[in-house]
Amino acid sequence: MVVEHNPFAKRYRKGMRRVALVYPNRYVGGITNLGLQYIYARINESDAICERFYADVFDGLRSIESATPLSEFDVALFSLQYETDYFKAVEILKRSGFKGLKIAGGPCVMENPQPLMDYFHAFFIGEVEGYVEELIHAKNAEELSGIPGVFTGREEKVKRVYAKLDRHIEKEIIGEGAYGRCFLLEIGRGCVRRCRFCIVRQIYFPPRWRKKEMLPEIGEEKVAIIAPSPSDHPQFKEILQHYVEQGKEVSPSSVRADTLDEELADLLKKAGVKTLTIAPETASDKLQEVINKGIGDEEVMRAAELASTRFEKVKLYYMVGLPGESFEDVKAILEQALRVKKLVGKVEISVNPLVPKPHTPLQWMGFGGEEELREGISHLKKKLEYLRREARRAGIGADVSGFKEFAIQTILSRGDREVAEMLEGASYRKFEKYLKPINPDSPLPWDFIDHGYRKSTLLKEYDKIKKIL
Protein backbone atom coordinates (compact mmCIF):
# COMPACT_ATOMS: atom_id res chain seq x y z
CA MET A 1 0.00 0.00 0.00
CA VAL A 2 1.31 3.47 -0.95
CA VAL A 3 1.04 6.05 1.83
CA GLU A 4 1.11 9.65 0.63
CA HIS A 5 0.81 13.12 2.10
CA ASN A 6 -1.05 15.87 0.19
CA PRO A 7 -2.73 13.79 -2.56
CA PHE A 8 -5.47 15.58 -4.47
CA ALA A 9 -8.92 14.37 -3.43
CA LYS A 10 -10.99 15.04 -6.55
CA ARG A 11 -13.97 12.90 -7.41
CA TYR A 12 -15.12 12.06 -10.89
CA ARG A 13 -18.37 13.65 -12.05
CA LYS A 14 -20.28 12.60 -15.14
CA GLY A 15 -19.07 14.39 -18.26
CA MET A 16 -15.69 15.22 -16.77
CA ARG A 17 -12.63 14.59 -19.00
CA ARG A 18 -10.59 11.75 -17.47
CA VAL A 19 -6.82 11.97 -17.87
CA ALA A 20 -4.38 9.17 -16.98
CA LEU A 21 -0.84 10.23 -16.11
CA VAL A 22 1.29 7.15 -16.74
CA TYR A 23 4.85 6.64 -15.50
CA PRO A 24 5.91 3.26 -16.96
CA ASN A 25 8.51 2.64 -14.28
CA ARG A 26 8.65 2.33 -10.49
CA TYR A 27 6.72 4.58 -8.10
CA VAL A 28 9.92 5.75 -6.34
CA GLY A 29 11.07 7.41 -9.56
CA GLY A 30 7.68 8.71 -10.64
CA ILE A 31 6.84 10.45 -7.37
CA THR A 32 10.15 12.35 -7.53
CA ASN A 33 9.40 13.71 -11.00
CA LEU A 34 8.45 17.36 -10.62
CA GLY A 35 7.16 17.63 -14.17
CA LEU A 36 4.54 14.99 -13.40
CA GLN A 37 3.66 16.75 -10.14
CA TYR A 38 3.03 19.95 -12.08
CA ILE A 39 0.89 18.29 -14.78
CA TYR A 40 -1.14 16.43 -12.14
CA ALA A 41 -1.84 19.61 -10.16
CA ARG A 42 -2.65 21.65 -13.26
CA ILE A 43 -5.21 19.16 -14.57
CA ASN A 44 -6.89 18.67 -11.21
CA GLU A 45 -7.24 22.43 -10.82
CA SER A 46 -9.11 22.50 -14.15
CA ASP A 47 -12.49 21.03 -15.15
CA ALA A 48 -10.86 17.64 -15.83
CA ILE A 49 -9.68 14.92 -13.45
CA CYS A 50 -6.23 13.32 -13.46
CA GLU A 51 -5.17 10.06 -11.83
CA ARG A 52 -1.73 8.43 -11.77
CA PHE A 53 -0.42 5.07 -12.95
CA TYR A 54 2.93 3.45 -12.02
CA ALA A 55 4.43 0.24 -13.40
CA ASP A 56 4.75 -1.36 -9.95
CA VAL A 57 1.31 -0.33 -8.63
CA PHE A 58 -1.46 -2.58 -10.07
CA ASP A 59 1.09 -3.38 -12.80
CA GLY A 60 0.35 0.02 -14.34
CA LEU A 61 -3.19 -1.04 -15.33
CA ARG A 62 -5.23 0.74 -12.64
CA SER A 63 -4.91 4.16 -11.05
CA ILE A 64 -3.28 4.69 -7.69
CA GLU A 65 -6.09 7.03 -6.51
CA SER A 66 -9.21 4.95 -7.19
CA ALA A 67 -7.99 1.70 -8.80
CA THR A 68 -9.93 2.70 -11.94
CA PRO A 69 -8.81 0.72 -15.03
CA LEU A 70 -6.81 2.67 -17.60
CA SER A 71 -9.34 1.65 -20.25
CA GLU A 72 -11.95 3.95 -18.65
CA PHE A 73 -9.90 7.13 -19.24
CA ASP A 74 -10.22 9.51 -22.20
CA VAL A 75 -6.58 10.60 -22.50
CA ALA A 76 -3.33 8.91 -21.45
CA LEU A 77 -0.24 11.06 -20.97
CA PHE A 78 2.90 8.91 -20.82
CA SER A 79 6.13 10.30 -19.37
CA LEU A 80 9.17 8.58 -20.90
CA GLN A 81 12.32 9.27 -18.89
CA TYR A 82 14.41 6.27 -19.99
CA GLU A 83 14.53 4.40 -23.30
CA THR A 84 14.05 1.05 -21.56
CA ASP A 85 10.68 2.33 -20.26
CA TYR A 86 9.34 1.89 -23.82
CA PHE A 87 8.88 -1.84 -23.22
CA LYS A 88 6.64 -1.35 -20.18
CA ALA A 89 4.77 1.51 -21.86
CA VAL A 90 3.86 -0.71 -24.81
CA GLU A 91 2.91 -3.56 -22.47
CA ILE A 92 0.60 -1.26 -20.47
CA LEU A 93 -1.09 0.01 -23.63
CA LYS A 94 -1.68 -3.52 -24.91
CA ARG A 95 -2.81 -5.17 -21.68
CA SER A 96 -5.06 -2.30 -20.61
CA GLY A 97 -7.05 -2.22 -23.84
CA PHE A 98 -6.88 1.58 -23.73
CA LYS A 99 -8.72 3.13 -26.72
CA GLY A 100 -8.44 6.84 -25.92
CA LEU A 101 -6.00 9.53 -27.02
CA LYS A 102 -2.37 8.52 -26.41
CA ILE A 103 0.25 11.26 -25.98
CA ALA A 104 3.89 10.78 -24.91
CA GLY A 105 6.35 13.33 -23.58
CA GLY A 106 9.54 13.51 -21.53
CA PRO A 107 13.25 13.65 -22.38
CA CYS A 108 13.22 10.49 -24.51
CA VAL A 109 10.49 11.93 -26.71
CA MET A 110 12.42 15.19 -26.93
CA GLU A 111 15.47 13.31 -28.24
CA ASN A 112 13.79 11.04 -30.81
CA PRO A 113 10.21 9.67 -30.78
CA GLN A 114 10.57 7.64 -34.00
CA PRO A 115 10.64 4.15 -32.39
CA LEU A 116 7.26 4.86 -30.76
CA MET A 117 5.37 6.24 -33.77
CA ASP A 118 3.15 3.14 -34.05
CA TYR A 119 1.95 3.36 -30.43
CA PHE A 120 0.98 6.99 -29.80
CA HIS A 121 -1.24 9.52 -31.52
CA ALA A 122 1.10 12.39 -30.70
CA PHE A 123 4.31 13.40 -28.97
CA PHE A 124 5.01 16.60 -27.07
CA ILE A 125 8.47 17.99 -27.79
CA GLY A 126 9.42 20.28 -24.93
CA GLU A 127 8.22 21.48 -21.54
CA VAL A 128 4.47 21.07 -21.36
CA GLU A 129 3.58 23.68 -18.68
CA GLY A 130 1.77 26.12 -20.97
CA TYR A 131 -0.11 23.56 -23.08
CA VAL A 132 -1.55 20.99 -20.67
CA GLU A 133 -5.19 22.03 -21.08
CA GLU A 134 -5.00 22.21 -24.89
CA LEU A 135 -3.59 18.67 -24.98
CA ILE A 136 -6.14 17.06 -22.68
CA HIS A 137 -9.20 18.64 -24.33
CA ALA A 138 -8.25 17.57 -27.85
CA LYS A 139 -10.52 14.80 -29.14
CA ASN A 140 -8.15 13.37 -31.76
CA ALA A 141 -4.72 13.68 -33.39
CA GLU A 142 -6.04 16.21 -35.92
CA GLU A 143 -6.99 18.58 -33.08
CA LEU A 144 -3.55 18.10 -31.51
CA SER A 145 -1.71 18.96 -34.71
CA GLY A 146 -0.89 22.66 -34.70
CA ILE A 147 -0.42 22.95 -30.93
CA PRO A 148 3.16 24.22 -30.41
CA GLY A 149 5.54 21.34 -29.60
CA VAL A 150 3.19 18.62 -30.85
CA PHE A 151 4.41 16.03 -33.37
CA THR A 152 1.85 13.66 -34.88
CA GLY A 153 3.89 12.51 -37.89
CA ARG A 154 2.13 14.96 -40.21
CA GLU A 155 4.52 17.82 -39.47
CA GLU A 156 7.75 18.23 -41.43
CA LYS A 157 9.41 20.06 -38.52
CA VAL A 158 8.53 20.64 -34.90
CA LYS A 159 10.06 23.34 -32.74
CA ARG A 160 10.70 22.39 -29.14
CA VAL A 161 8.93 24.64 -26.63
CA TYR A 162 10.28 25.69 -23.26
CA ALA A 163 8.73 27.31 -20.23
CA LYS A 164 9.67 30.39 -18.28
CA LEU A 165 10.42 29.46 -14.68
CA ASP A 166 8.09 31.39 -12.42
CA ARG A 167 7.15 30.81 -8.80
CA HIS A 168 7.60 27.25 -7.61
CA ILE A 169 4.66 24.91 -7.10
CA GLU A 170 3.75 25.09 -3.39
CA LYS A 171 1.76 21.91 -2.90
CA GLU A 172 3.27 18.54 -3.81
CA ILE A 173 2.35 14.94 -3.20
CA ILE A 174 4.88 13.60 -0.71
CA GLY A 175 5.58 9.90 -1.09
CA GLU A 176 8.41 7.47 -0.46
CA GLY A 177 10.54 8.33 -3.47
CA ALA A 178 14.16 8.11 -4.59
CA TYR A 179 15.14 10.84 -2.10
CA GLY A 180 12.94 9.49 0.71
CA ARG A 181 9.91 11.46 1.92
CA CYS A 182 10.71 15.05 0.99
CA PHE A 183 9.69 18.21 -0.83
CA LEU A 184 11.16 18.46 -4.33
CA LEU A 185 12.62 21.89 -4.99
CA GLU A 186 13.51 22.67 -8.61
CA ILE A 187 15.98 25.56 -8.52
CA GLY A 188 16.99 25.41 -12.18
CA ARG A 189 16.43 23.85 -15.56
CA GLY A 190 18.95 23.36 -18.33
CA CYS A 191 22.71 23.53 -17.84
CA VAL A 192 25.37 26.20 -18.28
CA ARG A 193 28.07 23.61 -18.98
CA ARG A 194 29.06 22.26 -22.38
CA CYS A 195 29.77 18.57 -21.72
CA ARG A 196 29.85 16.88 -25.11
CA PHE A 197 28.18 13.65 -24.00
CA CYS A 198 25.17 15.25 -22.29
CA ILE A 199 21.83 15.94 -23.93
CA VAL A 200 20.51 18.18 -21.13
CA ARG A 201 22.02 21.42 -22.42
CA GLN A 202 20.50 20.90 -25.88
CA ILE A 203 16.96 19.85 -25.00
CA TYR A 204 16.50 22.20 -22.03
CA PHE A 205 18.21 25.25 -23.50
CA PRO A 206 18.35 28.05 -22.43
CA PRO A 207 19.56 27.43 -18.86
CA ARG A 208 17.21 29.04 -16.34
CA TRP A 209 17.44 29.57 -12.58
CA ARG A 210 14.77 30.26 -10.00
CA LYS A 211 15.88 33.13 -7.80
CA LYS A 212 15.83 32.55 -4.07
CA GLU A 213 12.83 34.89 -3.76
CA MET A 214 10.80 32.62 -6.10
CA LEU A 215 11.17 29.57 -3.84
CA PRO A 216 8.41 28.52 -1.43
CA GLU A 217 8.29 28.11 2.31
CA ILE A 218 8.32 24.38 2.95
CA GLY A 219 6.50 22.46 5.65
CA GLU A 220 8.31 19.16 5.11
CA GLU A 221 11.39 18.35 7.19
CA LYS A 222 13.44 17.28 4.16
CA VAL A 223 14.12 19.14 0.91
CA ALA A 224 15.62 17.60 -2.24
CA ILE A 225 17.19 20.23 -4.49
CA ILE A 226 16.64 19.42 -8.16
CA ALA A 227 18.65 20.77 -11.11
CA PRO A 228 21.08 19.25 -13.63
CA SER A 229 23.96 20.96 -11.78
CA PRO A 230 22.58 22.53 -8.57
CA SER A 231 25.90 23.97 -7.34
CA ASP A 232 26.15 26.10 -10.51
CA HIS A 233 23.18 28.16 -9.27
CA PRO A 234 24.52 31.68 -8.49
CA GLN A 235 22.60 31.67 -5.17
CA PHE A 236 23.14 28.02 -4.29
CA LYS A 237 24.81 28.73 -0.94
CA GLU A 238 22.15 31.28 0.05
CA ILE A 239 19.38 28.81 -0.81
CA LEU A 240 21.05 26.08 1.23
CA GLN A 241 21.63 28.47 4.13
CA HIS A 242 17.98 29.60 4.06
CA TYR A 243 16.58 26.11 4.48
CA VAL A 244 19.31 24.98 6.90
CA GLU A 245 18.44 27.91 9.18
CA GLN A 246 14.86 26.66 9.16
CA GLY A 247 16.08 23.32 10.46
CA LYS A 248 15.54 21.45 7.20
CA GLU A 249 17.51 18.46 5.99
CA VAL A 250 18.60 19.48 2.50
CA SER A 251 19.85 17.08 -0.16
CA PRO A 252 21.12 18.28 -3.56
CA SER A 253 21.03 15.74 -6.41
CA SER A 254 24.81 16.18 -6.92
CA VAL A 255 27.63 18.71 -6.55
CA ARG A 256 30.27 19.57 -9.12
CA ALA A 257 33.67 18.87 -7.59
CA ASP A 258 35.09 22.16 -8.87
CA THR A 259 32.36 24.18 -7.08
CA LEU A 260 33.01 22.60 -3.68
CA ASP A 261 34.89 24.76 -1.18
CA GLU A 262 35.09 24.74 2.62
CA GLU A 263 32.09 27.03 3.04
CA LEU A 264 29.87 24.87 0.81
CA ALA A 265 31.15 21.64 2.38
CA ASP A 266 30.28 22.98 5.85
CA LEU A 267 26.84 24.03 4.67
CA LEU A 268 26.18 20.60 3.19
CA LYS A 269 27.21 18.98 6.45
CA LYS A 270 24.83 21.25 8.38
CA ALA A 271 22.13 20.31 5.86
CA GLY A 272 22.50 16.68 6.92
CA VAL A 273 24.27 15.40 3.81
CA LYS A 274 25.98 12.09 4.60
CA THR A 275 27.19 11.16 1.11
CA LEU A 276 28.99 13.53 -1.24
CA THR A 277 28.04 12.67 -4.82
CA ILE A 278 30.28 13.86 -7.64
CA ALA A 279 30.58 12.83 -11.29
CA PRO A 280 34.10 13.01 -12.76
CA GLU A 281 32.87 10.73 -15.63
CA THR A 282 36.48 9.79 -16.42
CA ALA A 283 39.79 9.78 -14.53
CA SER A 284 41.80 10.44 -17.71
CA ASP A 285 43.00 13.98 -18.51
CA LYS A 286 42.80 13.30 -22.25
CA LEU A 287 39.24 11.98 -22.02
CA GLN A 288 38.27 14.93 -19.83
CA GLU A 289 39.28 17.06 -22.79
CA VAL A 290 37.31 14.82 -25.18
CA ILE A 291 34.05 15.09 -23.23
CA ASN A 292 34.69 18.69 -22.09
CA LYS A 293 33.66 17.91 -18.50
CA GLY A 294 36.36 19.93 -16.79
CA ILE A 295 36.68 17.81 -13.62
CA GLY A 296 40.30 16.72 -13.36
CA ASP A 297 42.00 14.58 -10.73
CA GLU A 298 43.01 17.68 -8.77
CA GLU A 299 39.37 18.75 -8.34
CA VAL A 300 38.29 15.23 -7.35
CA MET A 301 41.03 14.90 -4.72
CA ARG A 302 40.33 18.39 -3.36
CA ALA A 303 36.66 17.43 -2.97
CA ALA A 304 37.71 14.18 -1.26
CA GLU A 305 39.86 16.12 1.22
CA LEU A 306 36.93 18.39 2.06
CA ALA A 307 34.68 15.35 2.40
CA SER A 308 37.06 13.45 4.67
CA THR A 309 36.15 15.42 7.80
CA ARG A 310 32.51 16.06 6.96
CA PHE A 311 30.83 13.15 5.16
CA GLU A 312 30.54 9.42 5.70
CA LYS A 313 30.87 8.42 2.07
CA VAL A 314 31.82 9.67 -1.40
CA LYS A 315 29.98 8.37 -4.46
CA LEU A 316 31.71 8.75 -7.83
CA TYR A 317 29.99 8.46 -11.22
CA TYR A 318 31.98 7.32 -14.27
CA MET A 319 31.42 6.29 -17.87
CA VAL A 320 33.31 3.81 -20.02
CA GLY A 321 33.25 3.27 -23.76
CA LEU A 322 34.35 6.84 -24.47
CA PRO A 323 35.98 7.59 -27.84
CA GLY A 324 39.73 7.02 -27.71
CA GLU A 325 39.53 5.21 -24.35
CA SER A 326 42.34 2.77 -23.53
CA PHE A 327 42.42 0.09 -20.86
CA GLU A 328 44.83 2.33 -18.95
CA ASP A 329 42.13 5.02 -18.83
CA VAL A 330 39.78 2.48 -17.26
CA LYS A 331 42.40 1.42 -14.70
CA ALA A 332 42.74 5.10 -13.80
CA ILE A 333 39.12 5.04 -12.58
CA LEU A 334 39.97 2.41 -9.98
CA GLU A 335 43.20 4.19 -9.03
CA GLN A 336 41.32 7.46 -8.51
CA ALA A 337 38.67 5.73 -6.40
CA LEU A 338 41.39 4.09 -4.27
CA ARG A 339 43.04 7.47 -3.62
CA VAL A 340 39.69 8.88 -2.57
CA LYS A 341 39.16 5.84 -0.31
CA LYS A 342 42.41 6.58 1.53
CA LEU A 343 40.98 9.96 2.51
CA VAL A 344 37.32 9.15 3.10
CA GLY A 345 37.23 5.44 3.95
CA LYS A 346 33.90 4.59 2.36
CA VAL A 347 33.75 4.98 -1.41
CA GLU A 348 31.25 3.80 -3.97
CA ILE A 349 31.54 3.98 -7.75
CA SER A 350 28.77 3.86 -10.34
CA VAL A 351 29.88 2.96 -13.87
CA ASN A 352 27.76 3.05 -17.04
CA PRO A 353 28.68 2.59 -20.69
CA LEU A 354 28.38 5.79 -22.70
CA VAL A 355 25.22 6.16 -24.79
CA PRO A 356 26.10 8.42 -27.76
CA LYS A 357 22.96 10.53 -27.52
CA PRO A 358 21.12 12.40 -30.28
CA HIS A 359 21.60 16.18 -30.32
CA THR A 360 25.12 15.93 -28.84
CA PRO A 361 28.51 16.11 -30.57
CA LEU A 362 28.94 12.41 -29.76
CA GLN A 363 25.79 11.41 -31.71
CA TRP A 364 27.93 10.22 -34.64
CA MET A 365 30.16 8.00 -32.47
CA GLY A 366 29.77 4.25 -32.27
CA PHE A 367 28.63 2.46 -29.10
CA GLY A 368 31.74 1.23 -27.29
CA GLY A 369 33.77 4.19 -28.52
CA GLU A 370 35.59 2.40 -31.36
CA GLU A 371 35.28 2.37 -35.15
CA GLU A 372 34.78 -1.39 -35.35
CA LEU A 373 31.63 -2.39 -33.45
CA ARG A 374 32.50 -6.00 -32.54
CA GLU A 375 35.87 -4.93 -31.18
CA GLY A 376 34.34 -2.02 -29.28
CA ILE A 377 31.74 -4.23 -27.59
CA SER A 378 34.32 -6.90 -26.76
CA HIS A 379 36.60 -4.31 -25.13
CA LEU A 380 33.65 -2.70 -23.35
CA LYS A 381 32.65 -5.99 -21.73
CA LYS A 382 36.23 -6.52 -20.51
CA LYS A 383 36.40 -3.00 -19.07
CA LEU A 384 33.15 -3.43 -17.16
CA GLU A 385 34.15 -6.85 -15.82
CA TYR A 386 37.56 -5.51 -14.76
CA LEU A 387 36.00 -2.66 -12.76
CA ARG A 388 33.41 -4.99 -11.21
CA ARG A 389 36.07 -7.50 -10.12
CA GLU A 390 38.81 -5.11 -9.00
CA ALA A 391 36.47 -2.79 -7.10
CA ARG A 392 35.23 -5.77 -5.09
CA ARG A 393 38.82 -6.80 -4.31
CA ALA A 394 39.64 -3.25 -3.21
CA GLY A 395 36.65 -3.00 -0.86
CA ILE A 396 34.99 -0.34 -3.00
CA GLY A 397 31.25 -0.51 -3.46
CA ALA A 398 30.54 -0.77 -7.17
CA ASP A 399 27.40 -0.48 -9.24
CA VAL A 400 28.73 -1.49 -12.66
CA SER A 401 26.13 -1.79 -15.40
CA GLY A 402 26.02 -4.49 -18.04
CA PHE A 403 26.60 -3.53 -21.66
CA LYS A 404 23.34 -5.01 -23.08
CA GLU A 405 20.95 -2.55 -21.39
CA PHE A 406 22.99 0.38 -22.67
CA ALA A 407 23.26 -1.10 -26.16
CA ILE A 408 19.44 -1.26 -26.19
CA GLN A 409 19.26 2.34 -24.94
CA THR A 410 21.55 3.42 -27.79
CA ILE A 411 19.45 1.64 -30.44
CA LEU A 412 16.19 3.10 -29.10
CA SER A 413 17.63 6.61 -28.81
CA ARG A 414 19.25 6.60 -32.28
CA GLY A 415 16.84 4.29 -34.08
CA ASP A 416 14.19 4.88 -36.72
CA ARG A 417 10.65 3.55 -36.80
CA GLU A 418 11.84 0.03 -37.64
CA VAL A 419 13.41 -0.55 -34.19
CA ALA A 420 9.86 -0.76 -32.79
CA GLU A 421 10.23 -4.47 -33.59
CA MET A 422 12.36 -4.70 -30.43
CA LEU A 423 9.30 -3.65 -28.43
CA GLU A 424 7.48 -6.64 -29.95
CA GLY A 425 10.18 -9.13 -28.95
CA ALA A 426 12.82 -8.88 -31.69
CA SER A 427 16.45 -9.20 -30.59
CA TYR A 428 18.47 -6.01 -30.33
CA ARG A 429 21.14 -7.75 -32.42
CA LYS A 430 18.91 -7.30 -35.46
CA PHE A 431 19.46 -3.56 -35.18
CA GLU A 432 23.18 -3.37 -34.48
CA LYS A 433 23.60 -0.91 -37.35
CA TYR A 434 22.31 1.74 -34.92
CA LEU A 435 25.28 0.99 -32.65
CA LYS A 436 27.83 1.70 -35.37
CA PRO A 437 29.44 5.09 -36.06
CA ILE A 438 27.22 7.35 -38.18
CA ASN A 439 28.42 9.19 -41.27
CA PRO A 440 28.11 12.93 -40.44
CA ASP A 441 26.70 13.53 -43.95
CA SER A 442 23.81 11.10 -43.40
CA PRO A 443 20.33 12.32 -42.43
CA LEU A 444 19.37 11.51 -38.83
CA PRO A 445 15.97 10.18 -37.62
CA TRP A 446 15.63 13.17 -35.28
CA ASP A 447 16.53 15.90 -37.81
CA PHE A 448 12.88 17.03 -37.86
CA ILE A 449 13.18 18.32 -34.26
CA ASP A 450 14.29 21.93 -33.90
CA HIS A 451 15.96 22.34 -30.52
CA GLY A 452 17.32 25.75 -31.42
CA TYR A 453 20.90 24.75 -32.20
CA ARG A 454 22.69 24.46 -35.54
CA LYS A 455 23.86 21.04 -36.65
CA SER A 456 27.04 22.73 -37.90
CA THR A 457 27.85 23.67 -34.28
CA LEU A 458 27.73 20.01 -33.23
CA LEU A 459 29.88 19.08 -36.22
CA LYS A 460 32.54 21.60 -35.14
CA GLU A 461 32.57 20.01 -31.66
CA TYR A 462 32.76 16.56 -33.26
CA ASP A 463 35.78 17.69 -35.30
CA LYS A 464 37.45 18.96 -32.11
CA ILE A 465 37.05 15.50 -30.57
CA LYS A 466 38.67 13.85 -33.58
CA LYS A 467 41.60 16.29 -33.40
CA ILE A 468 42.16 15.46 -29.71
CA LEU A 469 42.19 11.74 -30.55
Side-chain angles (χ1 to χ4, degrees):
M1 182 179 175
V2 177
V3 179
E4 296 180 327
H5 174 58
N6 265 354
F8 274 80
K10 187 169 184 176
R11 291 194 175 185
Y12 173 72
R13 296 191 307 275
K14 192 174 180 181
M16 193 179 272
R17 194 94 166 130
R18 282 184 131 165
V19 183
L21 191 56
V22 186
Y23 185 80
N25 205 316
R26 295 172 62 220
Y27 174 88
V28 292
I31 199 62
T32 53
N33 186 301
L34 256 177
L36 296 184
Q37 292 259 11
Y38 178 87
I39 295 166
Y40 182 75
R42 186 69 175 263
I43 296 171
N44 281 318
E45 287 164 0
S46 75
D47 58 355
I49 184 169
C50 182
E51 297 188 16
R52 294 165 293 141
F53 293 73
Y54 301 99
D56 57 347
V57 181
F58 301 128
D59 213 19
L61 302 176
R62 290 188 285 151
S63 71
I64 192 172
E65 285 83 359
S66 63
T68 302
L70 181 61
S71 58
E72 294 185 20
F73 286 74
D74 302 300
V75 184
L77 303 178
F78 277 71
S79 176
L80 298 167
Q81 302 290 316
Y82 310 99
E83 290 85 359
T84 44
D85 289 352
Y86 297 0
F87 296 94
K88 190 65 181 179
V90 169
E91 181 192 319
I92 288 170
L93 285 171
K94 287 183 173 181
R95 289 183 60 199
S96 68
F98 179 75
K99 302 297 183 189
L101 197 59
K102 297 168 285 206
I103 307 170
C108 289
V109 167
M110 290 161 74
E111 73 181 12
N112 174 24
Q114 294 283 7
L116 294 162
M117 289 297 296
D118 295 334
Y119 301 99
F120 291 90
H121 294 107
F123 302 89
F124 192 82
I125 312 291
E127 299 162 32
V128 76
E129 276 94 327
Y131 300 97
V132 173
E133 292 187 37
E134 286 184 68
L135 291 181
I136 66 171
H137 286 100
K139 299 294 190 295
N140 50 47
E142 287 75 21
E143 288 187 19
L144 287 168
S145 187
I147 297 173
V150 168
F151 179 67
T152 63
R154 298 168 176 81
E155 301 79 8
E156 286 186 21
K157 282 269 184 186
V158 61
K159 187 176 177 64
R160 184 256 304 171
V161 298
Y162 67 92
K164 181 182 177 183
L165 293 192
D166 49 21
R167 288 197 67 82
H168 199 283
I169 186 172
E170 294 195 6
K171 185 181 178 183
E172 294 178 5
I173 302 166
I174 310 297
E176 199 64 49
Y179 301 102
R181 296 183 74 84
C182 63
F183 187 94
L184 305 169
L185 185 74
E186 185 190 37
I187 64 170
R189 199 175 295 176
C191 189
V192 298
R193 306 287 176 167
R194 295 176 181 271
C195 303
R196 293 190 180 109
F197 63 88
C198 185
I199 194 173
V200 169
R201 178 179 173 82
Q202 304 295 71
I203 68 173
Y204 292 106
F205 189 85
R208 290 145 284 159
W209 299 117
R210 275 194 174 93
K211 293 180 181 177
K212 179 171 166 284
E213 304 76 58
M214 298 165 71
L215 302 177
E217 293 305 311
I218 296 169
E220 305 303 317
E221 292 179 5
K222 186 177 179 183
V223 182
I225 294 183
I226 310 295
S229 182
S231 55
D232 279 330
H233 192 299
Q235 294 178 300
F236 184 58
K237 288 177 182 175
E238 293 100 298
I239 291 168
L240 263 181
Q241 184 69 43
H242 174 72
Y243 291 111
V244 166
E245 285 175 357
Q246 293 184 354
K248 308 293 183 190
E249 183 183 337
V250 189
S251 175
S253 49
S254 64
V255 174
R256 268 188 68 102
D258 56 355
T259 62
L260 190 69
D261 56 21
E262 289 202 14
E263 183 187 8
L264 179 54
D266 286 339
L267 262 176
L268 291 169
K269 184 183 178 183
K270 287 177 187 173
V273 172
K274 301 286 192 295
T275 300
L276 178 69
T277 302
I278 55 178
E281 312 297 359
T282 176
S284 156
D285 289 340
K286 182 188 79 174
L287 295 182
Q288 280 289 337
E289 192 180 352
V290 165
I291 64 174
N292 202 33
K293 176 78 179 189
I295 303 290
D297 188 67
E298 189 178 330
E299 284 81 16
V300 173
M301 297 316 297
R302 169 69 177 152
E305 283 176 21
L306 291 168
S308 64
T309 55
R310 295 171 177 88
F311 310 117
E312 295 173 5
K313 184 169 76 174
V314 169
K315 187 166 187 178
L316 301 159
Y317 281 86
Y318 296 101
M319 296 185 299
V320 292
L322 298 172
E325 181 181 75
S326 68
F327 212 86
E328 291 305 310
D329 295 326
V330 176
K331 287 180 179 176
I333 291 174
L334 196 70
E335 290 163 4
Q336 187 174 76
L338 281 167
R339 290 198 303 278
V340 172
K341 190 174 187 295
K342 283 182 181 176
L343 291 169
V344 183
K346 197 171 182 183
V347 173
E348 197 175 303
I349 62 171
S350 177
V351 185
N352 292 332
L354 168 73
V355 174
K357 287 278 190 177
H359 311 291
T360 73
L362 291 176
Q363 66 183 357
W364 294 284
M365 295 286 182
F367 179 69
E370 298 182 27
E371 285 298 317
E372 209 288 304
L373 180 62
R374 292 282 108 225
E375 208 167 272
I377 288 179
S378 173
H379 291 162
L380 184 59
K381 288 178 179 177
K382 288 174 183 175
K383 291 168 183 175
L384 292 166
E385 182 49 42
Y386 167 81
L387 288 170
R388 203 175 283 119
R389 182 183 67 245
E390 296 303 318
R392 189 167 57 244
R393 284 181 180 171
I396 292 171
D399 177 11
V400 181
S401 301
F403 91 96
K404 182 180 174 181
E405 179 191 342
F406 285 78
I408 290 169
Q409 281 187 35
T410 301
I411 293 167
L412 290 173
S413 69
R414 304 206 300 183
D416 217 325
R417 203 163 177 164
E418 66 175 348
V419 304
E421 287 182 40
M422 284 170 53
L423 308 178
E424 302 291 339
S427 169
Y428 76 95
R429 291 187 177 89
K430 185 177 178 181
F431 302 102
E432 285 189 342
K433 67 179 181 181
Y434 292 104
L435 297 175
K436 294 178 179 179
I438 299 171
N439 185 330
D441 296 326
S442 302
L444 299 166
W446 50 91
D447 278 341
F448 71 93
I449 302 174
D450 179 5
H451 275 297
Y453 65 83
R454 292 181 180 176
K455 201 171 181 179
S456 59
T457 304
L458 296 189
L459 279 166
K460 284 176 186 174
E461 290 295 304
Y462 178 62
D463 287 339
K464 286 180 187 176
I465 293 167
K466 289 196 291 186
K467 284 174 185 172
I468 295 166
L469 299 177

